[in-house]
Amino acid sequence: MILLGVDLGKVRTGLALCDEGEILASPLSVITEHNRDKLVEKITEAARENQVKKLIIGLPKNMDGSEGESAQNAREIGALLAEHTGLPIEFFDERGTTITAHGYLNETNVRGKKRKAVVDAVAAVVILQGYLDGNRSRKLEL
């Protein structure tokens, strides 16, 4: 089943897709949109265009595991996306994903404007891949 990973940001939102076998996440795009309604429309459009069956949204928890304003915003956008797409929504703890994304970009020597343009999509890949790997581990334990 094709899943869409979403890394919500204040300025940019990264999107990533996985293959039908739910093995590998890949970057899709970055949406630059401040307006919540337009952002929801653009994510909904990406989900429809790519025949997505479920949305995995990064949940920005605080380092102590509590949920603050950013997490509440993610949950609100998740509810709007569920309403607009009719798709199931799951949240994935995204603590450290942007740091991991920057690490990957450092390893591949991506710098400057190019880095700024892709870091959010790479963070969405980290979120989605973490979700996929966690699901695979849970299935193996059964």
Side-chain angles (χ1 to χ4, degrees):
M1 156 170 57
I2 297 174
L3 309 178
L4 180 69
V6 181
D7 177 45
L8 295 166
K10 289 185 172 134
V11 177
R12 288 175 301 280
T13 295
L15 301 179
L17 289 173
C18 74
D19 59 294
E20 286 265 354
E22 298 180 28
I23 295 171
L24 185 64
S26 302
L28 176 63
S29 64
V30 175
I31 299 170
T32 303
E33 182 58 67
H34 297 283
N35 181 289
R36 179 183 279 196
D37 293 332
K38 289 181 182 177
L39 176 62
V40 168
E41 285 176 26
K42 290 178 180 181
I43 296 170
T44 299
E45 183 179 322
R48 285 192 184 123
E49 285 176 1
N50 292 283
Q51 301 174 336
V52 168
K53 301 298 182 207
K54 184 189 289 186
L55 299 173
I56 309 303
I57 299 174
L59 187 63
K61 292 185 176 185
N62 297 320
M63 291 314 280
D64 67 1
S66 64
E67 293 185 15
E69 185 179 329
S70 294
Q72 182 59 38
N73 182 57
R75 290 195 182 279
E76 289 170 6
I77 291 176
L80 290 170
L81 285 167
E83 183 181 315
H84 281 78
T85 64
L87 297 173
I89 306 288
E90 285 195 44
F91 293 95
F92 184 81
D93 184 351
E94 71 167 40
R95 282 180 283 185
T97 56
T98 301
I99 294 166
T100 302
H102 279 289
Y104 290 151
L105 294 172
N106 285 343
E107 289 175 19
T108 57
N109 204 28
V110 176
R111 305 270 184 238
K113 287 184 181 181
K114 186 174 184 182
R115 180 186 189 105
K116 195 173 186 179
V118 299
V119 70
D120 298 292
V122 173
V125 168
V126 173
I127 290 166
L128 184 53
Q129 192 65 54
Y131 174 85
L132 296 172
D133 293 347
N135 262 4
R136 207 168 13 263
S137 292
R138 283 187 291 283
K139 287 177 185 174
L140 290 174
E141 290 173 1
L142 297 178

